[in-house]
Amino acid sequence: EVQLVESGGGSVQPGESLRLSCVASGFTFSNYAMMWVRQAPGKELEWVSGIHGDAGITSYKASVKGRFTISRDNAKNTLFLQMNSLKTEDTARYFCAKGPSIYAWGADYSIRGRGTEVTVSP
């Protein structure tokens, strides 16, 4: 059974940082691209960042590029999202999601954890 467990969320002020983690189990982690997606209150899920299974390629939503960094530790089956210079518009529940293959993260976010809450407010 695939399990994805996120942690690291919290309440911070604009300009501060958070580091999210996601521990994966139930599948061969290094064989799959992974994503971070988020859902703000009253809005749909949106893709934030993706990383290939071998960590060779990463990609970011335009509004977070330069502020967020996705990474992974395949030896520890863990995905990370370092979030710097947080803005109020980053407030959302953040989920890690499993991609369909090693080099594709796709648009299907159905295999995801329960999420961790990030609140950015003055």
Side-chain angles (χ1 to χ4, degrees):
E1 179 189 3
V2 173
Q3 287 196 326
L4 299 167
V5 181
E6 302 91 339
S7 62
S11 294
V12 297
Q13 294 186 335
E16 294 187 338
S17 299
L18 283 172
R19 190 189 196 208
L20 306 184
S21 298
C22 170
V23 178
S25 62
F27 63 103
T28 304
F29 185 66
S30 59
N31 284 356
Y32 293 90
M34 295 293 294
M35 301 171 272
W36 286 100
V37 298
R38 67 186 181 187
Q39 188 167 28
K43 296 189 176 181
E44 294 186 349
L45 275 172
E46 65 173 2
W47 179 86
V48 174
S49 183
I51 185 169
H52 282 178
D54 60 4
I57 297 290
T58 60
S59 186
Y60 300 91
K61 178 181 174 64
S63 63
V64 308
K65 196 170 186 178
R67 300 188 296 119
F68 290 10
T69 303
I70 190 171
S71 61
R72 63 193 295 161
D73 184 338
N74 284 344
K76 296 183 179 180
N77 289 355
T78 304
L79 179 72
F80 303 100
L81 186 67
Q82 177 67 43
M83 305 187 296
N84 298 332
S85 303
L86 281 161
K87 303 178 180 181
T88 55
E89 52 263 44
D90 295 318
T91 294
R93 191 164 188 84
Y94 285 72
F95 304 84
C96 67
K98 176 179 172 288
S101 64
I102 188 171
Y103 296 128
W105 35 77
D108 179 0
Y109 314 138
S110 59
I111 303 177
R112 66 181 186 269
R114 293 186 177 183
T116 185
E117 201 72 32
V118 172
T119 302
V120 186
S121 62

